């Protein structure tokens, strides 16, 4: 008779991004660490935005007088309100929403919500995608159809549009809004319009992953595709993250929301979000929510400056890297946001790590935001050696 024990567990596999980050850290301070997606300052330390520092100072005075009872399952009302405004501006549509454990938690909730709408729904995932999209879908046991995001090395809507045409039954399309991870290459306005029309025609659900609002263009500009969907009548779900644009990765703060048309649907969807989060890990932690709410209520102008300077620095690094690398790298680096997928073989990536102490994931994805400006030319030189 079989007996379950630790020995019967399948062997665990390390997460490729966290494993590469660990190897980079072990290689010491001279290593060039382009692994995990964190925006670093010139000393290679995670950045604390001045607006966040100010909010933390404000909150510091209040923390001892706070209630530490359980929060509502949907999170802090003030947090949800400020994020609704960040995404939609002053004229936000009616939204059902819930605070989540980072953008990851928001994706997890929205994928599960889509599955509740129809257990047989197919999630269309343009690949390459963020490394955790497929695992999140697997853990929600949703059917996934992977389609190509690229055509001749550039973003294309063809894969999604063909899949919508050829898939029977309901579909949900997962699309990244700005600063594509891992490619840094985003859909153009015309392509957003094309994909919107196809989703509308199929009566499919749109799941928009907004993890880098303010890192490609202004926060307003980056929210444009989301607003387009919200106005289109398409069933639209949004997964938003505070990790990057408030630089509070460790607080695991995000928001899942759904555009709804009436109060009853709002109550119903928030009820489902609440049941779903309860079944995963109950309510999300609230400290990050308090920070985001305070930043947006009291330090919004400074925050706009903070994201603008992060954005400008990212663009400077990308341009510098592009100029320093040979022409066959240009298409890969000419994008927005933190990442690029360099045309390197696994063997070249391994040699970069072993011989040059340059770390990235084995697929060639590099976090440009993790490399100090003063080391960008050195990085290009080292890539040239392999
Ligand atoms: C495209 C994308 N979506 C979602 C996330 C998850 O964000 P968070 O770290 O807030 O969970 C990330 C993080 O790297 C991401 O790149």
């Amino acid at each position: 008779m079989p007996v379950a024990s630790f020995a019967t567990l399948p062997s665990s596999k390390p997460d490729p991004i966290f494993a590469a980050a660990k190897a980079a850290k072990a290689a010491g301070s001279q290593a060039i660490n382009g692994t995990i997606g964190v925006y670093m300052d010139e000393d290679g330390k995670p950045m604390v935005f001045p607006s966040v520092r100010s909010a933390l100072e404000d909150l510091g005075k209040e923390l001892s007088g706070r209630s530490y009872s359980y929060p509502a399952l949907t999170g802090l009302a003030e947090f949800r309100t400020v994020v609704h405004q960040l995404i939609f501006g002053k004229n936000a549509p009616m939204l059902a929403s819930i605070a989540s454990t980072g953008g990851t938690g928001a994706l997890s909730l929205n994928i599960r919500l889509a599955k509740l709408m129809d257990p047989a729904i197919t999630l269309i995932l343009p690949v390459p995608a963020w490394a955790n999209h497929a695992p999140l879908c697997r853990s929600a046991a949703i059917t996934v159809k992977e389609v190509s995001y690229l055509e001749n090395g550039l973003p294309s809507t063809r894969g999604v549009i063909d899949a919508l045409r050829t898939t029977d039954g309901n579909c949900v399309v997962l699309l990244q809004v700005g600063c594509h991870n891992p490619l840094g290459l985003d859909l153009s306005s015309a392509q957003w319009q094309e994909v919107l029309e196809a989703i509308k025609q199929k009566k499919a659900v749109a799941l928009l992953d907004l993890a880098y609002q303010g890192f490609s263009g202004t926060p307003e500009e980056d929210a444009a595709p989301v607003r387009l969907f919200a106005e289109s009548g398409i069933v639209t779900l949004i997964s938003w993250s505070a990790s990057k644009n408030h630089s509070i990765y460790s607080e695991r703060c995000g928001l899942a929301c759904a555009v709804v048309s009436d109060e009853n649907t709002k109550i119903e969807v928030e009820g489902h979000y609440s049941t779903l989060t309860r079944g995963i890990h109950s309510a999300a932690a609230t400290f990050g929510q308090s920070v985001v709410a305070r930043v947006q209520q009291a330090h919004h102008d400074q925050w706009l400056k903070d994201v603008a300077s992060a954005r400008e620095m990212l663009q400077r690094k990308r341009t510098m890297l592009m100029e320093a690398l040979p022409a066959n790298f240009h298409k890969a680096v000419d994008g927005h946001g933190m990442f690029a997928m360099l045309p390197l073989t696994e063997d070249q990536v391994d040699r970069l790590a072993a011989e040059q102490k340059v770390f990235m994931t084995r697929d060639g994805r590099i976090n440009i935001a993790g490399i100090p400006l003063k080391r960008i030319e050195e990085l290009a030189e080292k890539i040239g050696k392999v």
Side-chain angles (χ1 to χ4, degrees), residues 17 36-38 100-107 129-133 136 174 176-182 209-212 239-244 248-249 252-254 338-339 365:
I17 299 176
I36 204 153
V38 173
S100 61
T101 302
T104 307
L107 282 163
W130 175 45
N132 209 20
H133 278 149
L136 284 173
L174 201 173
Q176 294 190 41
V177 185
C179 299
H180 187 278
N181 183 0
D209 182 3
L210 181 57
Y212 298 91
S239 296
W240 181 89
S241 168
S243 300
K244 326 278 170 167
I248 51 166
Y249 306 83
R252 312 302 306 122
C253 178
M338 296 168 65
F339 304 103
R365 183 197 85 145

Side-chain angles (χ1 to χ4, degrees), residues 222-240:
D222 285 355
V226 182
R227 295 180 188 185
L228 207 66
F229 272 80
E231 286 159 11
S232 68
I234 290 169
V235 177
T236 303
L237 309 176
I238 302 130
S239 296
W240 181 89

Side-chain angles (χ1 to χ4, degrees), residues 79-242:
F79 165 73
R80 292 161 64 208
T81 303
V82 298
V83 179
H84 294 174
Q85 272 184 22
L86 275 183
I87 303 174
F88 290 103
K90 293 240 169 330
N91 301 318
M94 191 180 283
L95 296 166
S97 71
I98 184 166
S100 61
T101 302
T104 307
L107 282 163
S108 192
L109 290 169
N110 276 332
I111 291 167
R112 283 169 166 77
L113 187 74
K115 186 146 189 229
L116 271 184
M117 290 175 197
D118 174 3
I121 202 166
T122 300
L123 185 141
I124 297 173
L125 180 65
V127 292
W130 175 45
N132 209 20
H133 278 149
L136 284 173
C137 292
R138 269 200 300 278
S139 72
I142 196 167
T143 306
V144 176
K145 186 179 255 188
E146 291 190 352
V147 300
S148 179
Y149 179 67
L150 293 174
E151 226 182 327
N152 301 322
L154 292 174
S156 162
T157 56
R158 187 195 294 262
V160 170
I161 293 173
D162 285 352
L164 283 166
R165 219 187 21 243
T166 54
T167 306
D168 291 332
N170 286 315
C171 295
V172 49
V173 185
L174 201 173
L175 294 165
Q176 294 190 41
V177 185
C179 299
H180 187 278
N181 183 0
L183 296 166
L185 305 173
D186 299 322
L187 296 180
S188 66
S189 310
Q191 287 175 319
W192 274 113
Q193 197 60 52
E194 272 167 34
V195 83
L196 179 144
E197 291 305 332
I199 291 174
K200 193 169 183 174
Q201 206 175 356
K202 171 78 178 168
K203 295 191 170 53
V205 176
L207 168 47
L208 306 176
D209 182 3
L210 181 57
Y212 298 91
Q213 189 184 5
F215 271 34
S216 172
T218 63
E220 286 267 319
E221 287 165 350
D222 285 355
V226 182
R227 295 180 188 185
L228 207 66
F229 272 80
E231 286 159 11
S232 68
I234 290 169
V235 177
T236 303
L237 309 176
I238 302 130
S239 296
W240 181 89
S241 168

Side-chain angles (χ1 to χ4, degrees), residues 251-275:
E251 293 313 321
R252 312 302 306 122
C253 178
L255 185 94
C257 66
V259 180
V260 293
S261 53
D262 60 78
E263 193 62 32
N264 281 345
T265 313
K266 174 179 150 74
I267 293 168
E268 200 54 37
V269 173
E270 286 182 354
H272 282 299
Y273 274 149
S274 300
T275 308

Side-chain angles (χ1 to χ4, degrees), residues 30-32 351-358 382-383 385-386:
Q30 275 320 296
I32 295 186
R351 281 173 48 215
L352 270 171
E355 297 164 18
Q356 307 296 331
K357 290 194 172 190
V358 171
K382 292 187 163 176
I383 290 172
K385 289 190 182 154
V386 300

